[in-house]
Amino acid sequence: MNTRQSKQSGMGLRRLILLVCAVMLVLAGVPIKAYADTEKEVVRVGYYENEIFQEGAEDGKVKKGYAYEYYRKLSEYTGWEYEYVYGDFGDLYQMLLDGKIDFLAGLAWKEDRSKVIGYPDAEMGNESYYLVKCDEKTEITPDPSTLSGCRIGVLDSAMLDVLKQYLNEHNVNAEVVTYSDYKDLFQAFDSHEVDVLAAESDGAYGREHSEVLTVFGTSDYYLCVNINRPDLLAELNSAQAMLAAEEPNYLNSLRDKYYSVSVTALAFSQAEREWMSEHTTLQVGYLENYLPYSDTDDKGEVTGIVKDMVPAVLDAVGMQNVKVTYSGYVNYDDMIAAVSSGKIDVAFPVGGGLYYSEESGIYQSNPVSSANAELVYKGDFSEMTTKHFAVNENNRLQYYFVQTNYPDAEITFYPSTDECLRAVLDGKAGCATLNGLRANDILRNRKYKDLSLYQSSYSDVRCFGVEIGNEGLLKLLNRGIKVLGENYAQSISYRYTSGLYSYGFIDFVFEHMALVGTIILIIVLIIVFFLVHDVRRTKKQVEEKEKARRDLEATNVELAESQKALSDALAVAEHANRAKTEFLNNMSHDIRTPMNAIVGFTGLATTNIDNREQVLDYLGKISVSSQHLLSLINDVLDMSRIESGKVTIEETDVHLPEMINDLRTIIHSNIASKQLELFIDTQDVISCG
């Protein structure tokens, strides 16, 4: 117990007091920076390059790392805006002393430093100091005496004093080479300028061909403040206290995020190296019918998380050349027995806690997945529900869980998980237990619709299992699991959960009854709409056809009437035409008669030209015939006037005997040419004058 321990004890008490105050402030609703100015406060942070811890120590480079994320988290409580000042660790430490920067991260507590820089009450992290050698240097072993004569590289920091103290305690005469920057230190180790690297577990990324020798010290490290800025130190203390109150696991999660592949992750121990040198294959046994963890598919091949997890673990620790074979087991006890007999190297999944693992003769790896167990029940959940469990006799993990957490419960074994759930449905058991990654998807099956889930408060972890004594393989598995992270298995489980339930059309209908009912109603309404529309359209078509028929009949009547009218008109026209024809025939005959008389008498006059009296008589007869011809022509013209509607009737007195005599004169020549005689008796004809 020294001054440093007293200092840490005092810091612990102050942290507790600050934590209580922070909780009271949260409950009272008082903001942590109620006293601060509303404007953003710019603080200067020394930023040096250090793998994983903080990277991007140049203008324009992307910043990331443990310390950088820690700065951003503190800003959520303080409102600080950062100005980053770049340099190597030694130069930045001097700038902190000179007041040219306000903060510098990664400083271990030292009594002489506490007088010149400000330490907050809470550390920003903690680390172990490791001695790491190149795996080629077989002469160097975990025995401290083998370090004599070696060159040991170390950062010029608090770790230097711890290293010297370790070497003095073990009487090791080694050459200690100091470096002011991590980059130069790691380069010296990689290039074999130094034989051994003194490294912080949190300060060095996993390096190939390296082997951890031993831990030579541990230390907390702090985000330190310039001694002349007590205001910043007070704000930092308040922010750290608030962070611890609101997110008590923040530092652990930050450490897991960034240091799962630290220098110790890939620096293999002697036991690990021996296992790797002796094995080129890895035989994995897995439990069937246990998706998403493991199962055998329709083709007889392994499936589930184990299919992805094992190669990923081997890849994470650089064992890509190891050939993996798989064997499936229906019964958990058979799988564990195969581990004990050497038939398989590793079993998955195993669980049930350390006691049952010891009873089974196996080591459990770090958890591959962890989820609260689900209790499956029917009806209302009560204390009586957990008095009787249905347990799958082929899955000993369920039995271990019930025995550990419900030791007084009655257990009835059934041959499968399905039979266990049916027992709960039938009231033969109060409940059954299901792993948290399996429960929801199993109960999606419609046959389990009357079952409910109750999340227990007990964690149900799943691990790899290896035979007790197989230290090398166990450590390799643990390293790989750490590198992959605690959420890896859960993040890939969704790929295999579909195999836990059968989801068909009937399931969809029952699960979405309201939606299906709505769709059916819409379809019915659409059908009714189209039926009504079709009836209306048919009715309209019938009406249109009837109207068309009536219109057609009316048109036919009109057409018949028109045809009759046309027929009548045609008959009238034909009659008129025949009348005209007859008239013209008659008229031509009538015209020919006076013309013949004129021609005949003209010829006689010519013959008797010297007989004046005879010629005069002929001329007189020609004149009568001419007048008759003119009369006929006028009659023809009158007929034309009648047709054109311009006829006029003229009444004229005639001397009938004279007219008859003229007619005889006109037709006499025709009669004579035919050697006929014409007698006209006008004795009883009385002329009215």
Side-chain angles (χ1 to χ4, degrees), residues 270-287:
Q270 185 65 29
E272 292 169 291
R273 293 190 178 279
E274 288 178 0
W275 193 94
M276 294 170 65
S277 64
E278 295 171 0
H279 294 80
T280 58
T281 62
L282 179 67
Q283 296 170 309
V284 178
Y286 63 89
L287 187 62

Side-chain angles (χ1 to χ4, degrees), residues 83-271:
E83 176 187 339
Y84 298 102
V85 180
Y86 307 119
D88 60 35
F89 179 83
D91 293 338
L92 290 173
Y93 179 72
Q94 187 60 48
M95 293 177 71
L96 181 67
L97 297 177
D98 297 339
K100 295 181 181 179
I101 59 174
D102 302 309
F103 289 102
L104 185 63
L107 292 167
W109 191 89
K110 295 178 68 174
E111 186 174 359
D112 57 338
R113 281 182 180 172
S114 65
K115 299 175 182 178
V116 293
I117 58 176
Y119 281 91
D121 294 328
E123 70 279 1
M124 68 177 295
N126 55 76
E127 61 195 355
S128 297
Y129 298 146
Y130 288 85
L131 289 178
V132 181
K133 69 161 188 173
C134 177
D135 57 5
E136 296 176 357
K137 296 184 179 296
T138 56
E139 69 277 9
I140 303 175
T141 70
D143 183 356
S145 63
T146 60
L147 295 173
S148 294
C150 294
R151 287 169 56 87
I152 303 176
V154 62
L155 188 69
D156 188 8
S157 63
M159 184 167 45
L160 176 60
D161 295 336
V162 178
L163 175 62
K164 289 180 178 179
Q165 182 180 352
Y166 174 81
L167 296 176
N168 289 334
E169 289 176 354
H170 293 83
N171 298 315
V172 175
N173 184 20
E175 180 183 356
V176 177
V177 183
T178 59
Y179 295 86
S180 61
D181 185 79
Y182 281 103
K183 182 178 179 181
D184 295 336
L185 172 61
F186 295 137
Q187 185 176 355
F189 177 74
D190 294 338
S191 62
H192 303 297
E193 292 179 14
V194 294
D195 304 306
V196 177
L197 169 69
E200 301 164 340
S201 60
D202 290 357
Y205 191 74
R207 319 200 78 76
E208 295 182 358
H209 307 296
S210 59
E211 180 181 330
V212 173
L213 294 172
T214 186
V215 177
F216 68 87
T218 60
S219 175
D220 295 331
Y221 55 89
Y222 298 83
L223 176 61
C224 293
V225 187
N226 176 262
I227 195 70
N228 297 317
R229 293 299 305 270
D231 56 326
L232 291 181
L233 183 59
E235 289 183 49
L236 176 59
N237 283 330
S238 297
Q240 288 179 327
M242 285 294 293
L243 177 59
E246 293 182 4
E247 300 182 56
N249 293 318
Y250 177 76
L251 291 181
N252 288 333
S253 62
L254 194 62
R255 179 186 178 93
D256 290 341
K257 177 179 179 180
Y258 284 101
Y259 295 117
S260 61
V261 286
S262 65
V263 68
T264 58
L266 294 181
F268 300 113
S269 66
Q270 185 65 29

Side-chain angles (χ1 to χ4, degrees), residues 128 170 233-234 292 310 321 377 380 440 478 482 518 584 664 688:
S128 297
H170 293 83
L233 183 59
V310 172
N321 295 327
Y377 66 97
D380 297 325
N440 285 301
N478 284 339
K482 185 177 181 180
T518 302
L584 291 175
R664 186 183 62 181
C688 297

Side-chain angles (χ1 to χ4, degrees), residues 29-60:
V30 179
I32 188 65
K33 278 205 66 179
Y35 58 85
D37 295 334
T38 56
E39 294 183 1
K40 291 182 179 179
E41 184 177 5
V42 178
V43 295
R44 298 164 298 177
V45 177
Y47 202 93
Y48 55 92
E49 190 73 26
N50 185 0
E51 289 178 319
I52 302 300
F53 186 68
Q54 58 183 15
E55 301 180 29
E58 291 183 26
D59 288 328

Side-chain angles (χ1 to χ4, degrees), residues 571-601:
V572 171
E574 289 177 348
H575 179 73
N577 190 45
R578 286 194 300 269
K580 286 182 181 181
T581 302
E582 291 176 359
F583 172 77
L584 291 175
N585 289 336
N586 293 334
M587 187 59 65
S588 64
H589 181 270
D590 290 344
I591 291 174
R592 191 180 297 114
T593 300
M595 282 296 297
N596 288 336
I598 292 171
V599 173
F601 286 122

